[in-house]
Amino acid sequence: MNFIMDIFKWLIAAGPTVMLPVIITVIGLIFGLNIGRGFKSGLTLGIGFAGIKLILDFMTTNVGPAAKAMVERTGVHLTALDVGWGSIAAVTWASPIIAILIFAILIVNIVLLVLKRTNTLDVDIWNYHHIAIVGVMVYFVTHNMWLGLGATVVMAVITFKLADWSQPVVEKFFKIPGVSLPTVSALSSLVIAWPLNWLLNKIPLFRKSKFSIRDAQKYLGFFGDSMIMGLIIGMAIGALAGYDFVKILQLGVSMSAVLVLIPKMTSLFMEGLMPISDAAQKWSQKKFKGRKLFIGLDAAVVVGNQDVITTALIIIPLTIAMALVLPGNSVLPFADLAVVPFRVAMVVALTNGNLLKNIIIGLVVTASLLWCGTATAPVLTAIAKSVGIKLGANSLLISSFAATSMIQSFIVYLAFTWNQVILIPVLLIVFGLIWYYFDGVKKINGSSSEEVSAEA
């Protein structure tokens, strides 16, 4: 156990750019690729991820200060500072029960695969912290390891099933075959997006609307080009931040670069994934006749989509404005504003790029992040202090757009920390009914998985 955990610690410490090539190479060998081809696929994915990370870091460096400046210009002081997902990940990995939770997530995935209750083989180990943080917080509040472990197991099962059900949407919109996205930071938005999209489809204005970023480009002509749109949006953010003209232009060019460069980096994922995806399908057809396996990857593979980035750049200033007036909110958005693309990626895919729906659903999602982040900020702050994380002096409390600010995580956290005798059974029954509906009723009626996702 210690030896295996040491290996995981080494991989995690090396970061996803090292961990992803290693894991993909091993997966490739399992699926029958020779070591040379498997390693090349893994390395290609690692290079693509490194490129995306560099561009996202570049985006964070430029958008972060501008977003902070926009908030400071309002003169509003909120009591919980958004310190970013990286700080939350550090809190998670510092927990004394993290080893148990990580192995629990792995075991749940393996058991569900063996029992044919999921088709997602989750290799996104780096992002297991999104699942584990719920168990960490439950354990901290209840002082009960079994409740913490139970919360993590429930989170894992829900995550893998959501990844299965949303896979056709991912494949159809992002054109990535054989891949699912079990990254909670992106996936959890579907808990809100699915029912809200269904509701909007009942309203003629939204049901008939087909307006997308591509349509905007067509109607706007020169101004609809991705690099021009990036320039305009970046300059608008700079103007709202009160920058001088030179800085406004610099931010505009920076955002233009983001819209142009990220799609080029994400194309490397397709190149690296195809051999693995093909091998996985052949392997699954041989071992499990009539069954398809999906490789579960980090949602970073899709956040470079032009619709996702543009939607996120529109949502960011609107989220800041909303945080200032939203009743019951105490969170000051800051560090995680740059990862808004992760929170809206699945929304964009679900609506098939409908810009009007993307903005409305995206704002509801970010509103939930603010409310849930406000509710759990005291606990998150206490945990950070308990593991020796330095919080700085700018805020009494800390929060994030990660951890239990995400609606899926918040629901599980609430069930396991407040009136467990009632809420845990209710949670399990409701999720069981949803599971039965998707994997039982719909299949009996002959609906394809793509139809199931579309109807949801």
Side-chain angles (χ1 to χ4, degrees):
M1 175 71 79
N2 289 335
F3 174 73
I4 295 173
M5 196 59 205
D6 286 342
I7 294 176
F8 276 109
K9 285 181 178 179
W10 179 84
L11 284 173
I12 290 166
T17 53
V18 172
M19 185 168 64
L20 191 59
V22 172
I23 292 176
I24 293 299
T25 300
V26 173
I27 294 297
L29 292 174
I30 293 173
F31 288 147
L33 288 179
N34 62 57
I35 189 169
R37 194 176 182 196
F39 178 73
K40 186 175 180 180
S41 293
L43 185 59
T44 302
L45 260 71
I47 292 169
F49 193 96
I52 288 175
K53 184 177 182 299
L54 287 171
I55 297 169
L56 288 179
D57 288 344
F58 177 72
M59 180 178 175
T60 303
T61 301
N62 287 276
V63 174
K68 183 180 180 182
M70 280 192 287
V71 172
E72 290 176 344
R73 289 187 76 198
T74 66
V76 175
H77 298 284
L78 300 173
T79 58
L81 178 65
D82 162 25
V83 296
W85 69 268
S87 299
I88 307 307
V91 169
T92 307
W93 292 111
S95 170
I97 64 168
I98 187 61
I100 297 172
L101 301 185
I102 294 300
F103 276 107
I105 298 168
L106 283 168
I107 291 169
V108 167
N109 193 200
I110 293 169
V111 169
L112 290 177
L113 282 167
V114 171
L115 295 178
K116 299 183 180 180
R117 292 297 179 266
T118 185
N119 292 320
T120 293
L121 175 61
D122 188 4
V123 301
D124 185 21
I125 296 175
W126 169 253
N127 280 315
Y128 276 14
H129 69 87
H130 286 303
I131 299 175
I133 184 59
V134 180
V136 170
M137 293 182 69
V138 169
Y139 170 69
F140 184 85
V141 171
T142 65
H143 306 290
N144 187 318
M145 188 190 73
W146 294 108
L147 283 175
L149 181 61
T152 299
V153 169
V154 170
M155 272 291 296
V157 173
I158 293 174
T159 299
F160 297 139
K161 292 309 297 180
L162 286 176
D164 284 346
W165 297 331
S166 61
Q167 191 279 333
V169 173
V170 172
E171 181 167 335
K172 180 182 178 182
F173 186 79
F174 295 115
K175 312 298 183 186
I176 307 179
V179 167
S180 63
L181 303 177
T183 309
V184 178
S185 59
L187 204 59
S188 62
S189 298
L190 288 175
V191 176
I192 291 173
W194 256 324
L196 187 51
N197 185 56
W198 175 85
L199 179 62
L200 291 176
N201 282 336
K202 300 299 180 182
I203 303 172
L205 172 64
F206 298 101
R207 184 175 65 250
K208 295 178 181 179
S209 173
K210 302 294 183 182
F211 194 72
S212 67
I213 296 297
R214 295 173 185 83
D215 292 322
Q217 291 175 337
K218 180 174 66 176
Y219 289 116
L220 294 174
F222 170 79
F223 294 99
D225 185 274
S226 59
M227 67 175 65
I228 303 301
M229 291 183 70
L231 178 69
I232 294 171
I233 294 171
M235 289 178 67
I237 293 174
L240 289 171
Y243 282 2
D244 61 35
F245 185 66
V246 172
K247 286 189 176 181
I248 289 174
L249 288 176
Q250 290 174 338
L251 185 60
V253 173
S254 295
M255 293 304 96
S256 179
V258 168
L259 286 186
V260 172
L261 293 176
I262 281 191
K264 296 183 183 300
M265 290 298 102
T266 53
S267 66
L268 288 173
F269 277 95
M270 282 298 297
E271 182 182 337
L273 279 173
M274 287 310 298
I276 301 294
S277 179
D278 292 342
Q281 294 305 319
K282 292 178 182 177
W283 183 86
S284 62
Q285 289 171 6
K286 182 179 179 181
K287 300 293 183 181
F288 306 99
K289 292 184 178 180
R291 183 179 179 189
K292 293 177 65 177
L293 291 184
F294 309 132
I295 305 299
L297 292 179
D298 190 330
V301 301
V302 300
V303 297
N305 177 272
Q306 182 176 310
D307 296 67
V308 173
I309 290 293
T310 304
T311 299
L313 289 175
I314 294 171
I315 292 292
I316 286 171
L318 293 178
T319 296
I320 296 170
M322 180 171 60
L324 304 176
V325 298
L326 188 67
N329 173 55
S330 297
V331 176
L332 174 64
F334 175 50
D336 269 344
L337 287 170
V339 296
V340 168
F342 285 84
R343 306 303 182 266
V344 301
M346 295 302 295
V347 174
V348 172
L350 183 66
T351 67
N352 199 33
N354 185 306
L355 186 58
L356 187 58
K357 285 184 181 179
N358 292 345
I359 294 172
I360 292 174
I361 298 175
L363 286 175
V364 176
V365 168
T366 53
S368 74
L369 292 168
L370 294 171
W371 274 325
C372 296
T374 296
T376 56
V379 175
L380 195 59
T381 304
I383 295 175
K385 290 180 178 178
S386 72
V387 297
I389 301 295
K390 296 181 180 179
L391 302 180
N394 293 326
S395 180
L396 296 175
L397 299 173
I398 66 167
S399 188
S400 168
F401 282 5
T404 43
S405 295
M406 298 180 290
I407 190 66
Q408 174 194 342
S409 305
F410 181 76
I411 290 171
V412 175
Y413 166 79
L414 192 66
F416 278 82
T417 56
W418 187 73
N419 206 339
Q420 297 101 327
V421 175
I422 295 176
L423 292 183
I424 292 176
V426 169
L427 172 63
L428 296 178
I429 290 170
V430 170
F431 179 67
L433 291 173
I434 295 171
W435 190 336
Y436 173 71
Y437 177 76
F438 277 108
D439 285 2
V441 174
K442 282 297 181 180
K443 286 188 177 181
I444 291 173
N445 291 336
S447 297
S448 69
S449 58
E450 184 170 328
E451 289 170 339
V452 169
S453 297
E455 289 181 17

